[in-house]
Amino acid sequence: MNMKFVKRMLAATLAATLMVAPALTVGATTNSSSSSNEESSNSDSNSGSTEAAVVTEALPSSTVSVAGTVIKSQVNGAYAVKTLAGVAVRQGNDAIKAAAGLGKSETPFARVYDITAKKSPRVFDSFNGAAAAAGGTVLGAVNFDLGKMAGGKFADLPADVSVPVTFGVKNANGRTLSVIKVVPGGATTILTDTDENPNTVTVPVTGGLAAYAIMAN
């Protein structure tokens, strides 16, 4: 495939994610449509330069690289993650296609990028509330949209599709790691680490968009 086309598709895909995702994440902890819409509008109006910068820096793949551990993601996508030491999908395309019932022309695709308390204050309220209740601290967070590409168009995978994903953690410092997951609508779950590396945390990520924060105890 022509690399110029790939880069254009990557930028367009991530730009679309960034325009849509704020409305999902900022509304995660409220049932008021007016409050959600107001904050979404404010976020959109102030995020143009940030979105452009992230699109420019997005990569078609990602590698976890921390404390001598290197794990390459098995799924291509649009990755713009700097707060963590990389993100890696640990399941291959064929296995995901079989689990999701994808056709020959459909390919798994991940859209992953940093989120902050400044840009997504309400989802961070959920993160911080869950962390406080568990006696933990939030170290960083991303939006993770697990989907598929077909004919240059992105669509979410079903929520019942689950793949293992490893997040690299720069400042674990021997603490126990876990992940707080918040989905649109506000449901919050704490996911237990399934690996034994003290500098990474591996959890199941489901199809569609959700916000994931690394928590240390």
Side-chain angles (χ1 to χ4, degrees):
M1 183 180 292
N2 184 283
M3 284 306 297
K4 289 184 178 180
F5 172 76
V6 171
K7 290 180 180 179
R8 287 198 301 269
M9 183 176 70
L10 177 65
T13 299
L14 187 60
T17 304
L18 289 164
M19 287 186 287
V20 173
L24 295 172
T25 55
V26 298
T29 58
T30 179
N31 293 322
S32 169
S33 59
S34 60
S35 297
S36 176
N37 290 337
E38 180 181 356
E39 187 169 344
S40 299
S41 299
N42 291 339
S43 176
D44 288 345
S45 65
N46 294 324
S47 61
S49 60
T50 302
E51 290 174 8
V54 172
V55 169
T56 301
E57 296 171 4
L59 299 173
S61 188
S62 177
T63 300
V64 169
S65 181
V66 59
T69 296
V70 178
I71 307 169
K72 183 175 174 59
S73 181
Q74 296 184 53
V75 171
N76 285 342
Y79 294 88
V81 178
K82 290 191 173 182
T83 58
L84 305 176
V87 177
V89 179
R90 305 296 300 275
Q91 196 168 56
N93 284 343
D94 290 344
I96 297 173
K97 290 180 72 169
L102 301 187
K104 291 183 179 180
S105 63
E106 297 176 313
T107 304
F109 196 91
R111 305 195 294 193
V112 192
Y113 55 94
D114 293 325
I115 56 175
T116 64
K118 181 178 180 180
K119 291 296 182 182
S120 300
R122 292 191 178 179
V123 75
F124 262 81
D125 285 345
S126 293
F127 288 149
N128 291 328
T137 303
V138 173
L139 302 182
V142 298
N143 267 355
F144 199 120
D145 199 354
L146 180 61
K148 62 182 180 180
M149 291 292 290
K153 295 183 178 180
F154 178 87
D156 286 336
L157 289 182
D160 60 356
V161 174
S162 175
V163 300
V165 173
T166 297
F167 300 91
V169 183
K170 300 175 182 178
N171 51 345
N173 297 328
R175 292 173 288 180
T176 299
L177 302 175
S178 56
V179 172
I180 305 168
K181 175 184 178 181
V182 178
V183 299
T188 303
T189 308
I190 295 180
L191 306 174
T192 302
D193 186 10
T194 61
D195 71 43
E196 297 182 356
N197 189 320
N199 299 298
T200 66
V201 54
T202 301
V203 297
V205 166
T206 52
L209 175 64
Y212 297 83
I214 309 304
M215 180 174 70
N217 287 84

